[in-house]
Amino acid sequence: MAASVGLLLRRALTPCRRWALPGLQQCSAAAPLCAAPPARLYAAAAKNTKRGSQKAKKEEAQKKKGRGRRLLLSKPVDDVYLTWYYERPSYHVEEAVGMLKKFQELDFTYPKQFVYINVTLDMELQKKKKVDQFASIVLLPYRFTDETNKVLVFTESGQETWVFQRCECGRRLRDSSHMPPLSCNEQEAEIARENGAAVVGGIELIKWILEEEIQVDFYIAVPAIMPKLIPLRSKLKQKYPSTKRNSLGHDIPKMLQFFREGLEYKVQDEHLIKTRIARLDMPTEQIIANLKTIIEDICKFKPSSAGPFVKKLVIRSSTSEGLLLNLDGLLPEAEKVEEKEETAEDDEEKPVQESVST
């Protein structure tokens, strides 16, 4: 009885869904399983906004690129400044060497440290060609080290004589108990020994060179023995004796002095030469003389059709920063003349182009 009364009261107090909340039944009804998913009315607009933002970013990046790097200032006013806001200063060679000496005194570094140069070359030629990388040896007017190169001398056998020579590279090359004696011209061999040759011999040395039992820095020879040294051409490559490298001739003392005391340098990374030229405790005049000698030797390898060969020259010591040098007074006269001719040709072409355009 009580349960039926409670049920009646609940029905009476609960309003009808149809008139109390019209449309609620339609909204609360579950969607059929086969119905299509609702359409995304703003999806296309969202994609368009993304594309628009990407275009804006690209335009901003292009504007930044178009602006480019700000123009560098010529000379700072204060002693402390940001280096990337100013052009790199260049110095005359006398001023630069004096600065290196002052750096050494202020830093209390080793006074007999070496002086180095970095030479940047323009190796480009016409029609997408480049100058071949080269190596050379130059005899400086002022020596700055007691080190000498090891030189081997090939001499032609005249009369049968026996010559014994010990190599200075740290091992015994020839000994009467292990190896037969070497035959060579007695007079040439004696001259070579007196002038500091590390190894002297004839064609018997070919075998030991091919087997790498003999290792020296340079090889020189007299012309008479050259036909017998052909097996060494592929082994020695650029160090094969030749008149072009001044390693073939009859003047053995002169060749030995050149190769024992000469400074060897070569092109690295297709356009860069790094080499030492002097000691910092040497007089400024001697350092400059050595520098000019090397630059003149480098300019000999410039092709006649090429423009200015030396693009940039930096000097430094073992513990100092690099100083950019002004090339005025350092390049050979031929290099300067060609630069003037090129500028004159450019000046002549300009009015011709202007007349055509008008």
Side-chain angles (χ1 to χ4, degrees):
M1 185 67 180
S4 59
V5 173
L7 183 60
L8 291 173
L9 289 172
R10 188 180 301 171
R11 288 180 178 178
L13 294 175
T14 303
C16 182
R17 294 180 180 178
R18 294 178 182 177
W19 58 267
L21 296 173
L24 180 64
Q25 187 176 6
Q26 296 177 1
C27 295
S28 62
L33 296 176
C34 61
R40 296 177 61 191
L41 300 178
Y42 303 100
K47 289 182 180 179
N48 291 332
T49 55
K50 287 183 179 178
R51 291 176 182 174
S53 62
Q54 291 178 358
K55 289 182 179 179
K57 289 181 179 178
K58 289 181 179 179
E59 289 177 357
E60 290 178 1
Q62 290 178 356
K63 287 181 180 179
K64 290 180 179 179
K65 289 181 179 179
R67 292 172 189 169
R69 188 174 179 179
R70 59 176 294 180
L71 295 175
L72 297 178
L73 302 175
S74 59
K75 189 176 181 181
V77 179
D78 301 326
D79 294 336
V80 180
Y81 58 92
L82 299 175
T83 56
W84 53 85
Y85 285 154
Y86 297 89
E87 295 179 357
R88 186 175 183 180
S90 61
Y91 306 93
H92 292 286
V93 61
E94 295 84 359
E95 183 182 3
V97 174
M99 292 175 65
L100 294 181
K101 292 179 178 290
K102 288 182 180 178
F103 293 159
Q104 182 272 323
E105 294 175 359
L106 294 174
D107 296 339
F108 298 99
T109 53
Y110 185 56
K112 295 184 179 181
Q113 58 187 291
F114 291 118
V115 178
Y116 298 84
I117 58 170
N118 295 352
V119 187
T120 304
L121 304 177
D122 185 6
M123 308 282 281
E124 298 292 336
L125 294 174
Q126 297 178 355
K127 297 182 180 180
K128 297 182 180 180
K129 294 182 180 180
K130 293 184 178 181
V131 181
D132 295 332
Q133 297 188 25
F134 57 87
S136 179
I137 183 170
V138 58
L139 190 62
L140 299 178
Y142 300 99
R143 296 200 63 206
F144 58 90
T145 178
D146 295 331
E147 300 174 2
T148 56
N149 302 315
K150 300 180 180 67
V151 184
L152 182 147
V153 179
F154 288 106
T155 58
E156 173 64 9
S157 58
Q159 53 185 357
E160 282 302 308
T161 57
W162 308 123
V163 176
F164 299 92
Q165 183 73 17
R166 184 185 299 274
C167 181
E168 299 175 1
C169 56
R171 60 184 303 178
R172 299 174 68 184
L173 295 177
R174 299 189 292 279
D175 194 345
S176 58
S177 60
H178 298 86
M179 197 179 305
L182 303 177
S183 60
C184 64
N185 185 280
E186 183 179 4
Q187 185 178 2
E188 292 177 350
E190 187 65 26
I191 293 173
R193 285 197 303 270
E194 291 176 354
N195 287 273
V199 183
V200 182
I203 59 174
E204 297 85 356
L205 296 176
I206 296 176
K207 175 184 177 182
W208 305 105
I209 294 173
L210 293 175
E211 294 178 357
E212 297 185 355
E213 290 290 334
I214 296 177
Q215 295 180 359
V216 295
D217 298 314
F218 299 102
Y219 303 82
I220 65 176
V222 294
I225 199 174
M226 287 305 297
K228 302 177 182 178
L229 300 182
I230 294 177
L232 293 176
R233 184 184 294 273
S234 59
K235 177 70 175 178
L236 301 183
K237 297 180 180 179
Q238 292 183 352
K239 294 186 177 181
Y240 187 75
S242 66
T243 53
K244 185 177 180 180
R245 288 179 55 87
N246 299 320
S247 56
L248 178 63
H250 295 282
D251 195 345
I252 295 178
K254 184 178 179 180
M255 291 190 296
L256 276 172
Q257 181 187 9
F258 180 76
F259 285 97
R260 289 183 75 247
E261 301 178 2
L263 174 70
E264 185 181 22
Y265 66 87
K266 60 182 178 180
V267 178
Q268 304 174 7
D269 301 329
E270 296 184 353
H271 67 280
L272 186 63
I273 295 176
K274 298 180 180 180
T275 183
R276 57 185 185 179
I277 62 170
R279 277 196 331 266
L280 194 57
D281 62 332
M282 293 172 60
T284 303
E285 297 77 12
Q286 295 183 5
I287 298 176
I288 296 174
N290 286 354
L291 172 60
K292 290 183 176 180
T293 302
I294 294 177
I295 295 300
E296 289 178 1
D297 191 77
I298 291 173
C299 291
K300 292 178 182 178
F301 292 90
K302 183 182 80 70
S304 58
S305 59
F309 202 40
V310 179
K311 293 176 58 178
K312 186 170 67 172
L313 179 58
V314 177
I315 188 171
R316 66 175 179 86
S317 66
S318 301
T319 59
S320 73
E321 61 177 304
L323 301 177
L324 181 64
L325 292 181
N326 190 341
L327 297 178
D328 294 339
L330 293 178
L331 299 180
E333 294 298 329
E335 187 87 358
K336 294 179 183 177
V337 170
E338 289 180 1
E339 288 182 3
K340 291 180 180 178
E341 289 178 355
E342 288 185 356
T343 54
E345 289 176 0
D346 295 338
D347 295 337
E348 291 176 0
E349 290 176 358
K350 287 180 181 178
V352 173
Q353 293 175 354
E354 290 176 356
S355 61
V356 171
S357 61
T358 53

